[in-house]
Amino acid sequence: MKVLVIGGGAREHALCRSLSLDPDVTALHCAPGNAGIAEVAEPHAVDALDGAAVAALATELGAGLVIVGPEAPLVAGVADAVRAAGIPCFGPSREAAQLEGSKAFAKGVMAGAGVPTARSYVCATPEEVEEALDAFGAPYVVKDDGLAAGKGVVVTDDLGTARAHANACDRVVIEEFLDGPEVSLFAITDGTTVVPLQPAQDFKRALDGDEGPNTGGMGAYSPLPWADPKLVEEVMETVLQPTVDELRRRGTPFSGLLYAGLAITSRGVRVIEFNARFGDPETQVVLARLTTPLAGVLLASANGTLADLEPLRWSEDAAVTVVVASHNYPDTPRTGDPITGLDEVAAKDAPHAYVLHAGTRHEGGAVVSAGGRVLSVTAIGSGLTEARERAYAAVARIGLEGSQHRTDIAAKAAAEA
């Protein structure tokens, strides 16, 4: 099978790495890709938001499967264009992707499906914002209704900050604060059958100790030694299957990757948000542990045959990923800085640790930074402690002027394991 992956971040590098290890994948392409992806897949220049251009490229390549990585192309209807060209595509339709594209749409689906989530108000005027903030009190949770690349949520005790964020958005969802640890659980679905993956936890704040601004994610780990062994089963029954069934009932069946961001609260599991694609950086650790070849699973989702698959197989190893970010991230990041140490990691740390590229490009024979999150350094080990040690040993070999990373990814879970 020839496979085309759309996107150019660490999530897509993780997907391409897994696909490159799959014996059923005879040719692997990525558009637009990045400097790291180019080592395992043939890159192509394409506007990822242009469905016609993506479909034309897939047709030209003779692709047997297209995988749309990021949320923006899904919300733009790229998967619809690929399917209209007669090519199997992993990723939801434009309508179903509104589950991520609109927080208000997602709240409506959850209400219809009886899925437990935070109480919320959808606000479009300053008056509605004031009413909602007053109703819930601090800590305030304010979410941009549309896509915001993982940075549209403000959680703060400061009323002025909450008000400013709300009034800067066209439409916002203001909701009650959910206590308790957060968990990311991915599921692959064909619109009827739902196959859960292993849970992960990511770290959204920029600085150690969960301080600093929200980011797209600074690291992740899997498995979660502290989680209830029945967590996946419970989320399947109360969240994932009901959501897929409700979307099908509405005439907008969801096929692809359904991502539930969950809070394990004192009152039980609650959905914080849904995403319509693999999450970054959780994908890096979840795929590091998946031993079932990936292409066949994603093709079964695209073709509606997930019910025929054997159960997924998982490594007992733990996985940790640490994001190396540019100077000044998550504000306007500095780019164009050379990255050193990548060959050293490949020579000294493989196969237990490896580097997945996010914001990188080739420039004059060197690899340079080209975004806010630059690299995801990923490692596996017999437990979280060993996986952490290997990940941070590899991070220490990498040079990127002004870069930043958290030093506490998975530290608490490793200490408690």
Side-chain angles (χ1 to χ4, degrees):
M1 179 181 7
K2 294 180 181 177
V3 180
L4 170 62
V5 177
I6 302 302
R11 161 187 47 225
E12 287 75 35
H13 195 175
L15 287 163
C16 286
R17 179 182 181 275
S18 291
L19 292 163
S20 74
L21 301 172
D22 187 331
D24 289 336
V25 176
T26 53
L28 183 57
H29 302 268
C30 190
N34 62 39
I37 291 173
E39 295 176 10
V40 293
E42 185 179 339
H44 300 268
V46 76
D47 179 354
L49 297 175
D50 185 337
V54 171
L57 175 61
T59 302
E60 179 190 331
L61 295 173
L65 175 65
V66 174
I67 299 161
V68 182
E71 60 272 25
L74 291 168
V75 172
V78 167
D80 305 84
V82 172
R83 278 192 277 268
I87 300 169
C89 186
F90 181 79
S93 67
R94 181 203 303 261
E95 286 190 15
Q98 284 302 305
L99 198 64
E100 177 170 3
S102 167
K103 303 288 190 299
F105 176 85
K107 288 289 187 183
V109 170
M110 284 187 267
V115 168
T117 186
R119 293 179 299 120
S120 63
Y121 294 101
V122 180
C123 307
T125 67
E127 292 76 22
E128 290 171 347
V129 165
E130 289 303 319
E131 196 175 314
L133 293 173
D134 185 57
F136 288 129
Y140 304 101
V141 181
V142 184
K143 299 181 176 181
D144 191 332
D145 181 50
L147 292 180
K151 297 190 277 286
V153 179
V154 165
V155 181
T156 178
D157 287 318
D158 184 83
L159 177 60
T161 301
R163 182 186 291 127
H165 182 64
N167 290 331
C169 305
D170 287 337
R171 188 162 80 148
V172 293
V173 173
I174 295 175
E175 62 185 37
E176 67 175 327
F177 176 77
L178 296 174
D179 64 324
E182 295 185 14
V183 173
S184 301
L185 184 61
F186 302 164
I188 292 170
T189 178
D190 56 12
T192 302
T193 301
V194 182
V195 177
L197 305 186
Q198 290 288 308
Q201 186 175 56
D202 79 329
F203 294 75
K204 291 192 170 63
R205 298 283 187 173
L207 307 175
D208 285 5
D210 290 328
E211 298 290 331
N214 260 343
T215 71
M218 295 299 290
Y221 69 94
S222 178
L224 312 181
W226 50 267
D228 187 323
K230 293 186 176 177
L231 175 65
V232 173
E233 186 181 326
E234 178 188 348
V235 175
M236 271 289 291
E237 288 178 8
T238 63
V239 175
L240 297 170
Q241 191 70 57
T243 299
V244 169
D245 292 345
E246 172 67 10
L247 284 162
R248 190 175 66 251
R249 186 189 70 75
R250 288 172 170 233
T252 53
F254 186 107
S255 74
L257 195 290
L258 178 59
Y259 165 144
L262 308 164
I264 313 301
T265 77
S266 53
R267 294 171 294 140
V269 174
R270 298 286 185 273
V271 174
I272 301 169
E273 64 175 355
F274 283 123
N275 289 332
R277 39 73 196 179
F278 279 103
D280 183 341
E282 300 98 320
T283 301
Q284 289 85 301
V285 292
V286 172
L287 292 186
R289 300 185 58 227
L290 179 66
T291 57
T292 299
L294 183 62
V297 181
L298 303 189
L299 183 63
S301 164
N303 286 341
T305 57
L306 269 180
D308 301 333
L309 277 193
E310 298 283 321
L312 298 181
R313 299 187 302 276
W314 297 92
S315 165
E316 292 296 315
D317 285 343
V320 171
T321 193
V322 179
V323 170
V324 177
S326 292
H327 174 73
N328 206 38
Y329 177 78
D331 294 324
T332 306
R334 191 174 77 207
T335 59
D337 289 315
I339 303 165
T340 60
L342 297 173
D343 291 341
E344 194 179 352
V345 172
K348 295 182 178 176
D349 300 297
H352 301 301
Y354 49 89
V355 179
L356 298 169
H357 291 232
T360 66
R361 68 173 186 268
H362 284 294
E363 189 176 279
V367 176
V368 302
S369 61
R373 292 187 295 175
V374 181
L375 306 168
S376 283
V377 181
T378 306
I380 55 171
S382 58
L384 287 174
T385 297
E386 185 175 48
R388 283 191 85 245
E389 289 169 354
R390 287 172 168 173
Y392 280 107
V395 168
R397 301 190 201 280
I398 291 167
L400 173 61
E401 189 180 343
S403 67
Q404 53 178 316
H405 65 270
R406 283 185 57 160
T407 65
D408 62 347
I409 304 300
K412 187 174 177 222
E416 295 172 355

